[in-house]
Amino acid sequence: MAAETKKVAQDLSAKLRTQKLRTAIAAIVFVVMAAGLILGVSTGTMSGFGWESISALCPLGAVATMLATKTMVPRAVISLVIMALLILVVGRAFCAWLCPSMLITRIQEFLRTPKKRRELAAETHDKMVDIAKYEITQAKESAGVKANGLSAKALGATYAAGAGDSAATVAAAATSASPANPINAASAASASAAVATASLSAQDKKALSGCGAGSCTAGCASCASAKQPHKKLDSRHYVLGGALLSTAIFGFPVFCLVCPVGLTFATVLVVWRLFAAGDMTIAVILVPALLIIELVFLRKWCTRFCPLSALMNLVSRFSKTFVPVIDDTKCLETSQGVPCSRCAQVCESDINIRHIAYGERTLADCSRCRNCADVCPTHAISFLVFAGAKAKSGARDGIPAPEAQPATVMLDEDALEVPSA
Amino acid sequence: MADKTNVPQGADAAGDATAAEGAAAPEPQGTKGAKKAKEPMSVSRRSLLIGVGSTAALLGLGAMRYAGHTPLNRPPGGQDEAHLVSACIRCERCYEACPRRVIVPAKIEDGLLGMRSPMLDFEAEYCDFCQEENGGVPKCVEACPTEALVLPAGASATSTIIGRAVIDTSTCLAYRDTGCRECYDACPYEAIQLTDVSINPHPYVVEDKCNGCGACEFSCVSMKAGSLATTGATRRAIIVQPVGTY
Ligand code: SF4
Ligand code: SF4
Ligand code: SF4
Ligand code: SF4
Ligand code: SF4
């Protein structure tokens, strides 16, 4: 099992090509800004960047400063408009491409032991694949119900699809020394028993949902209840509300004091001043400590706490551009009924792009990180310049009933895995 | 989130926590009540906890306003202390913009409220209102995107009072008849005059002319002179006091 999950984990992180590019861009921008801070070149920080008297403000800072002083600040208003337009076009791309917190997360990942990495990868892998299996079962059931009585042929086709997959997986397991996923193989093995009868037996369901393989101890109900409530406002918005409330009451940008973006630059500054000016201050310890508390100990800062993320979400929820869209004719799950869900395992914004209902966040929070597109074995995910209608269908909960596919396609999928193993 | 920073105001923060609950709770509770049956409690409860906890922490942090901080010399246009603290988002643009590097981020030791806000460090340099580099238009004010630093139209070096210099006669070298007159030579506004009480004149500050540029403090050699170790001085003999402290 350990060897298998290791393979999965390596496969996925090795495929994150855009992540390397993003990390490099964010690192370069950060270094340039930090150098500007040290050398006194007017580049600004991410709280307010620009040249000479031109500057774009952090949207939260812009709101906070105006709320605190109760005045309109022209540059803050202009910044807000520009930021809103940018967010409308690229959503929360700042989070994946520029935010220094992202760099800290990368460092944190880098510092993890391989064992820990494997465990985490295995955990998300099992969770997402279980969801996919459960959803496939559901889809087949409803397809079966629909087809029942209408056309015996269609019914047969649907079942054959399920059986075909199972057979294919068995074949794959037989040809490949290390199958992608032991659960797949195990469930396929038990599912193959159902091939003969070609009926959606309880055993088939059980096998497909993965419960039979022992990875799921809580039963199907746990998968059904794993659906996440997607409300208009979530915990981040409450943090944002708290920050603005405090700003309004006490009349200063309270959150700016503890903003992880600002604290990252503050770290550069205090450390630099410690060496350059001999400025000894407890901030040298306190600032990085606060940063670590926020980003490491408050789990999922970006998804659950960050008020900047909340503010961006208010606009990015209307973004219809450069949104990832799954081509259902290519996706392994919808075209072949294979519980792949690699896209859901790597999302940096806790979105399950395949089964939106199960992700903590929806596509409204997509940071355009491209992780999902990079790991998709069939390149089914693309970022359309405009994805109005398609984005909606991609975000839909249900999936179409799988169509029958030749077994070779499944073998191809496994072949994709072998070289990187 | 801000637990650490709350420590000095523990009591306040605790008091605020209850206030925060009252303020932040209505929203989450409303939605929770409506959708109770449908969704797992854990998610709503977690949101509520995060919301209430963070709001309490942020209100506690906000209460720092009353803790205040040590008075600091601010860059031109930052003399309205309340306004500066309200508007400054700690972006450090002014710090970067200052061609003389006299602006430094305030330290946490001077008070959490003012941390990283801009202050003038006259031991490092003095402020010439960007006379040399920008024709007398302060670059820091130009760069500040939030108008935390803001000057009235037509403000000049002489009309903008940053602070006022005072001489500590117990540590001033001139008052020990060493003949020092560094500050007198440095002052661009002729705000330091010399008395002719002896062959070694004593400097004094003409308060109406001093605008607190810091040239005197920057040039003062009292701390460098080894003989002063005996007086136990921790600052130079002439320092600029921030507006509002005199
Ligand atoms: S959610 Fe906040 S901290 Fe996280 S990447 Fe986005 S802006 Fe940065
Ligand atoms: S949906 Fe895809 S692009 Fe968007 S944040 Fe998730 S992994 Fe990144
Ligand atoms: S006016 Fe010029 S020299 Fe004085 S603090 Fe501002 S930027 Fe620096
Ligand atoms: S430029 Fe303005 S907002 Fe930014 S740190 Fe300086 S005073 Fe504060
Ligand atoms: S430079 Fe300092 S020591 Fe010298 S006269 Fe002025 S205040 Fe006194």
Side-chain angles (χ1 to χ4, degrees):
Chain A
M1 177 73 190
E4 304 303 343
T5 44
K6 181 181 173 190
K7 182 167 161 290
V8 172
Q10 281 178 345
D11 276 349
L12 296 189
S13 59
K15 280 185 182 171
L16 300 175
R17 281 176 299 127
T18 320
Q19 191 184 60
K20 294 189 184 76
L21 176 70
R22 286 187 288 119
T23 312
I25 289 177
I28 291 169
V29 171
F30 179 75
V31 167
V32 167
M33 285 186 168
L37 210 51
I38 289 169
L39 303 172
V41 182
S42 181
T43 54
T45 62
M46 278 173 199
S47 314
F49 55 93
W51 188 258
E52 303 286 322
S53 56
I54 304 161
S55 46
L57 249 81
C58 154
L60 184 53
V63 171
T65 190
M66 291 197 287
L67 190 62
T69 57
K70 308 208 166 43
T71 47
M72 290 287 267
V73 181
R75 275 192 271 191
V77 175
I78 295 169
S79 296
L80 275 178
V81 173
I82 295 173
M83 292 298 164
L85 290 176
L86 279 176
I87 295 165
L88 202 55
V89 177
V90 293
R92 280 177 54 210
F94 171 80
C95 298
W97 294 79
L98 289 173
C99 185
S101 310
M102 187 269 286
L103 291 174
I104 295 173
T105 311
R106 283 291 96 72
I107 294 171
Q108 195 195 343
E109 282 169 5
F110 179 77
L111 294 178
R112 279 194 190 121
T113 61
K115 185 165 167 273
K116 182 79 184 161
R117 259 180 258 179
R118 245 176 284 139
E119 279 170 15
L120 287 174
E123 199 182 299
T124 17
H125 172 271
D126 293 352
K127 191 173 143 208
M128 298 305 171
V129 170
D130 278 349
I131 289 169
K133 284 178 185 163
Y134 174 75
E135 277 293 311
I136 291 170
T137 320
Q138 294 285 304
K140 281 188 184 173
E141 251 174 55
S142 67
V145 168
K146 260 184 242 146
N148 192 19
L150 283 173
S151 154
K153 211 180 163 197
L155 187 66
T158 315
Y159 290 155
D165 292 340
S166 306
T169 322
V170 172
T175 47
S176 163
S178 56
N181 172 7
I183 302 159
N184 265 359
S187 60
S190 55
S192 63
V195 173
T197 55
S199 70
L200 202 64
S201 65
Q203 188 199 7
D204 192 9
K205 266 196 270 178
K206 206 178 166 203
L208 270 165
S209 69
C211 314
S215 75
C216 175
T217 48
C220 297
S222 79
C223 278
S225 68
K227 286 195 181 180
Q228 300 273 340
H230 294 141
K231 289 191 262 175
K232 288 218 154 52
L233 300 175
D234 54 63
S235 54
R236 291 169 300 168
H237 297 98
Y238 302 150
V239 179
L240 174 66
L244 295 181
L245 180 73
S246 184
T247 299
I249 294 177
F250 299 105
F252 75 105
V254 180
F255 183 74
C256 291
L257 288 185
V258 291
C259 168
V261 181
L263 287 180
T264 318
F265 286 99
T267 306
V268 173
L269 209 56
V270 288
V271 171
W272 165 251
R273 286 196 55 80
L274 176 65
F275 288 110
D279 239 5
M280 190 54 213
T281 149
I282 55 159
V284 175
I285 294 156
L286 204 63
V287 168
L290 204 54
L291 204 52
I292 290 169
I293 289 175
E294 286 173 2
L295 298 181
V296 179
F297 291 103
L298 290 183
R299 284 195 55 235
K300 295 200 181 189
W301 166 268
C302 297
T303 305
R304 293 179 183 168
F305 291 86
C306 184
L308 266 171
S309 155
L311 200 61
M312 287 189 259
N313 166 277
L314 295 180
V315 178
S316 69
R317 59 177 65 185
F318 300 109
S319 176
K320 292 278 172 286
T321 42
F322 305 104
V323 185
V325 174
I326 304 180
D327 181 348
D328 283 342
T329 62
K330 285 190 191 164
C331 171
L332 281 181
E333 179 171 325
T334 43
S335 67
Q336 299 169 40
V338 177
C340 162
S341 272
R342 283 169 178 72
C343 48
Q345 293 167 42
V346 292
C347 180
E348 287 190 3
S349 308
D350 288 318
I351 301 165
N352 184 331
I353 177 173
R354 182 66 272 174
H355 301 290
I356 293 290
Y358 294 92
E360 188 162 350
R361 296 284 170 255
T362 65
L363 280 174
D365 279 305
C366 174
S367 61
R368 277 46 165 191
C369 74
R370 294 194 60 95
N371 277 4
C372 51
D374 283 351
V375 296
C376 181
T378 58
H379 307 290
I381 301 175
S382 52
F383 289 72
L384 301 184
V385 174
F386 186 80
K390 285 206 176 176
K392 272 204 197 90
S393 84
R396 213 171 47 202
D397 283 350
I399 52 162
E403 287 160 28
Q405 290 283 328
T408 45
V409 180
M410 186 58 211
L411 286 171
D412 279 354
E413 206 272 303
D414 239 55
L416 274 171
E417 303 254 333
V418 176
S420 48
Chain B
M1 179 192 327
D3 295 349
K4 274 225 148 179
T5 47
N6 276 341
V7 174
Q9 284 260 323
D12 257 1
D16 281 314
T18 28
E21 245 158 295
E27 245 184 331
Q29 271 179 352
T31 37
K32 193 180 76 184
K35 294 193 178 174
K36 208 174 196 169
K38 263 191 180 174
E39 57 196 47
M41 265 300 287
S42 60
V43 175
S44 308
R45 189 181 298 151
R46 191 181 60 214
S47 300
L48 188 71
L49 271 176
I50 290 175
V52 171
S54 306
T55 305
L58 287 164
L59 284 171
L61 191 61
M64 286 291 130
R65 178 108 204 188
Y66 301 120
H69 60 81
T70 338
L72 302 166
N73 286 307
R74 301 297 195 178
Q79 277 64 51
D80 180 349
E81 183 65 30
H83 175 78
L84 180 98
V85 168
S86 286
C88 177
I89 59 165
R90 279 73 164 161
C91 69
E92 318 296 1
R93 289 222 55 198
C94 50
Y95 166 84
E96 284 181 347
C98 180
R100 307 183 76 86
R101 323 273 352 233
V102 53
I103 301 182
V104 298
K107 288 203 270 184
I108 196 167
E109 282 80 1
D110 289 321
L112 187 72
L113 180 63
M115 189 188 170
R116 282 158 58 209
S117 62
M119 62 172 275
L120 300 176
D121 179 5
F122 293 132
E123 301 203 355
E125 253 298 348
Y126 75 99
C127 169
D128 74 343
F129 288 75
C130 291
Q131 200 61 54
E132 230 170 86
E133 293 85 359
N134 206 26
V137 181
K139 283 194 158 192
C140 49
V141 178
E142 272 188 339
C144 178
T146 64
E147 295 181 7
L149 303 178
V150 63
L151 285 173
S156 67
T158 40
S159 72
T160 310
I161 310 300
I162 300 175
R164 183 199 285 166
V166 281
I167 297 177
D168 182 347
T169 50
S170 67
T171 52
C172 171
L173 298 175
Y175 282 82
R176 304 177 153 211
D177 294 338
T178 60
C180 176
R181 42 183 272 176
E182 297 287 345
C183 54
Y184 170 80
D185 291 339
C187 183
Y189 307 101
E190 294 175 355
I192 294 181
Q193 301 287 315
L194 299 175
T195 56
D196 41 0
V197 287
S198 63
I199 1 149
N200 290 318
H202 294 175
Y204 66 95
V205 177
V206 184
E207 292 175 353
D208 299 347
K209 286 190 173 171
C210 174
N211 70 358
C213 78
C216 51
E217 181 172 341
F218 173 55
S219 61
C220 178
V221 292
S222 66
M223 288 297 280
K224 282 182 217 148
S227 61
L228 258 185
T230 47
T231 65
T234 52
R235 298 196 63 181
R236 298 183 181 180
I238 186 164
I239 55 160
V240 176
Q241 293 182 320
V243 169
T245 58
Y246 46 85

